[in-house]
């Protein structure tokens, strides 16, 4: 199956996006030095990266941080792909909003209007058999947590500078 067909198949529904953004938020909150949650804007960046296989493939635990992730595109001479993150944020904004809306509706995330942060809810029990995410979606969730961990080490302006994105 081609990359484009696979991308469309997996990301055709905001349900997957809501799960992945919930995992991103958990990764950020769990690893932030002060336990803060990510501001809403960071979810748009995460969604832009995680909805593209070539951008999400380098998101692995072997990398040290977000700077290492950014340098990996220079090393592979794939700078054009890396610079496309800014345009992907714009192209995926409605999908990301739908995913966030769905996550809030189903109790995965909570938006605090005072600070503009999304807070993850902790599930009281594991999904029942047949309701758990497929392995491919779990793998994306793991990548989302890693990305959240990397984002938590930087301020919003530092993240946008490292990713060459204007917020």
């Amino acid at each position: 199956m081609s990359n484009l067909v696979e991308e469309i198949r997996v990301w055709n529904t905001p349900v997957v996006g809501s799960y992945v953004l919930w995992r991103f938020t958990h990764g950020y909150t769990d690893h932030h030095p002060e336990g803060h949650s990510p501001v809403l804007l960071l979810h748009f960046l995460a969604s832009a990266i995680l909805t593209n296989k070539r951008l999400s493939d380098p998101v692995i635990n072997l990398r040290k941080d977000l700077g290492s992730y950014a340098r990996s595109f220079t090393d592979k001479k794939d700078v054009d792909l890396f610079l496309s993150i800014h345009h992907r944020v714009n192209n995926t904004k409605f999908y990301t909003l739908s995913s966030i809306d769905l996550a809030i509706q189903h109790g995965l995330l909570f938006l605090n209007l005072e600070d503009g942060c999304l807070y993850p809810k902790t599930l009281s029990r594991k999904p029942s058999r047949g309701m758990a995410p497929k392995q491919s979606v779990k793998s994306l969730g793991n990548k989302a947590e890693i990305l959240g961990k990397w984002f938590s080490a930087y301020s919003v302006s530092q993240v946008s500078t490292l990713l060459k994105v204007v917020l």
Side-chain angles (χ1 to χ4, degrees), residues 7 17 27 42 49 64-65 68 93 98 101 103 105 119 139 144 157:
E7 191 174 316
L42 292 179
I49 292 169
K64 180 182 172 189
D65 58 12
S68 172
K93 67 183 170 192
S98 297
D101 185 43
Q105 284 179 7
Y119 293 85
S139 174
S157 62

Side-chain angles (χ1 to χ4, degrees), residues 11-96:
W11 292 102
N12 202 22
T13 173
V15 172
V16 173
S18 62
Y19 169 75
V20 170
L21 292 178
W22 172 68
R23 294 280 306 267
F24 167 79
T25 307
H26 261 293
Y28 187 101
T29 305
D30 292 346
H31 293 93
H32 192 276
E34 297 168 9
H36 293 180
S37 284
V39 295
L40 184 66
L41 284 175
L42 292 179
H43 290 79
F44 288 90
L45 285 171
S47 183
I49 292 169
L50 294 167
T51 56
N52 182 286
K53 183 167 176 34
R54 290 179 55 206
L55 287 170
S56 67
D57 278 347
V59 179
I60 54 174
N61 256 337
L62 299 175
R63 293 203 187 286
K64 180 182 172 189
D65 58 12
L66 194 58
S68 172
Y69 170 78
R71 284 188 301 276
S72 73
F73 291 96
T74 306
D75 296 344
K76 291 190 288 186
K77 299 189 181 357
D78 219 353
V79 176
D80 290 343
L81 176 65
F82 180 68
L83 294 176
S84 75
I85 294 173
H86 179 80
H87 297 291
R88 287 194 56 77
V89 168
N90 192 38
N91 291 342
T92 60
K93 67 183 170 192
F94 295 113
Y95 173 81
T96 305

